[in-house]
Every structure is written in C-alpha cells, then in structure tokens.
Amino acid sequence: MTPQTIKVACSNCNLRELCMPLGLSDGDVDKLDDLVTTRRKIKRGAALFSNGDPFNALYAIRTGFFKTCVATADGRDQVTGFQMAGEVIGLDGIVGDRHSCDAVALEDAEVCVMPYDRIEELSREVPALQSHVHKIMSREIVREHGVMLLLGSMRAEERLAAFLLNLVQRLHARGFSQSELVLRMTREEIGSYLGLKLETVSRTFSKFADDGIVEVKQRYVRIVDTDALRAIVNAPACAD
C-alpha cells in the first residue's frame, strides 16, 4: 500500500471539528469514516486539480496551504482564494462537472479525498452531512461577497488589514497564535488576490510596520496592534 492510499479515520483526525458535522452518532461517524477513501500528498508548486479537469471529489485539506487561481484573458494568473488545513476545496466543480480554476499547493500538503457521488449518497443517509455541505457552500458564497467588497470599495490599507485579520482569525481557529503568522503566499500573490500591485502591497506592509501596527521579517508577520488594524478596516468612508 502506498502513502497515497492510506485509509483515513475521520473520527481520529484532529481537524474533525473544522471539517466534519458536529453531534453525529457513532454509526454516522463510521459512515463518514468510509467516505474518505484516500489521502493525497501534493508537493509545493504542484496542482491538486486544474481548470477543465473532470470533477469527481471534494478535498479536505489535512495539512498545508493552497491557492486557487484562474487565467485571465491576457494570460496572467488571478488568485481567487487561499485555503488552509481544515477547509474544503473543489466546490467550483459541482456546477459544471469540471473544475473552473487551478488549486496549487503553496507548501507540501496532504488532502483527504471525498468522492462526490459518495457524498451525495451519504447525504441522504446522514442529514447532518447534507446540512454541513450546504454550510460549506454558503461560507464560500459569503467569502466571495467579502472579496467583492474588498475589491470594490476599499483602499489598499483597508484591503491588506482585512486580509491579515481574516488570515490570523482562521489560523487561530486551528490552534495557532492570534497575533503571529508565517505567510505561505508571496507578496505578489497577495496583490493578485487583493487587486493591488506588488509595489502597493510592499509599501502598505512597510507603512503598517512604520506605524507600529505590525512587525514584518520577510514572510513572518506579528500583529502588534490588532485594534489598529480593525480601526483601519472599519474607518468611515470619506465624504464625496
């Protein structure tokens, strides 16, 4: 048996509270254990799936970081999201039976493979699973709306502050620090996601550091003043 086909027990996974429904009976947990057929290891820089690939499974990230991106008309990669351990990716493929973006590992990663036909089958047997999948989809819709707000109405400082607050909040839910993080993505990738030029991202990081809001050492970031970051995001709009 290869490392890529190791059977995984969801019931023993330390991320179960993040990507499994709560309040399941022992019998339902056993059924979900059977849902996850394999783990896949993805090397840094490799794609878990690519735009146009047939859709047949959702993936729960067990370890590592991913970015999702689409190719623009002029051939550039537009980053559409960053995903981390405990989150589920692959939902983009449900609507058309093919993936509509690339999912690329930003570091060596491992995912649990959940065949979608099995998810549909189990959803009829375990109502909590169907509800949980709907919540995951809803969370993606809310995230998309948040990104549209970022790109549509926020200044550069607000965009980067909101990005850092969101990232550290998600990491904290996984047991990490509330104030320290190591960025798995490049400044350029952050800029692509936030609709900012690389120079603007670097300049805004420098301003936050000069103002004593964050400490930055290459990819290491420590948030010194969380309230100041929140104040930037919640600043009243300038009058016309």
Side-chain angles (χ1 to χ4, degrees), residues 86-130:
E87 296 179 344
V88 175
I89 55 176
L91 293 161
D92 63 288
I94 294 175
V95 65
D97 291 327
R98 288 190 178 275
H99 288 289
S100 59
C101 65
D102 300 339
V104 179
L106 295 176
E107 60 182 349
D108 289 353
E110 188 173 52
V111 299
C112 299
V113 181
M114 302 180 291
Y116 193 67
D117 56 356
R118 186 73 180 118
I119 291 176
E120 290 188 306
E121 186 182 320
L122 266 182
S123 292
R124 292 188 284 271
E125 300 175 30
V126 184
L129 176 60
Q130 185 176 50

Side-chain angles (χ1 to χ4, degrees), residues 129-172:
L129 176 60
Q130 185 176 50
S131 174
H132 191 63
V133 172
H134 288 163
K135 283 179 181 176
I136 292 171
M137 292 178 177
S138 176
R139 190 169 62 211
E140 282 299 296
I141 292 169
V142 170
R143 187 189 65 78
E144 289 282 347
H145 287 173
V147 173
M148 288 172 66
L149 180 65
L150 272 178
L151 300 183
S153 62
M154 288 187 172
R155 296 175 295 110
E157 287 182 26
E158 294 173 302
R159 295 183 195 190
L160 187 59
F163 172 75
L164 290 174
L165 287 169
N166 173 265
L167 201 57
V168 80
Q169 178 186 19
R170 287 156 67 195
L171 286 165
H172 182 57

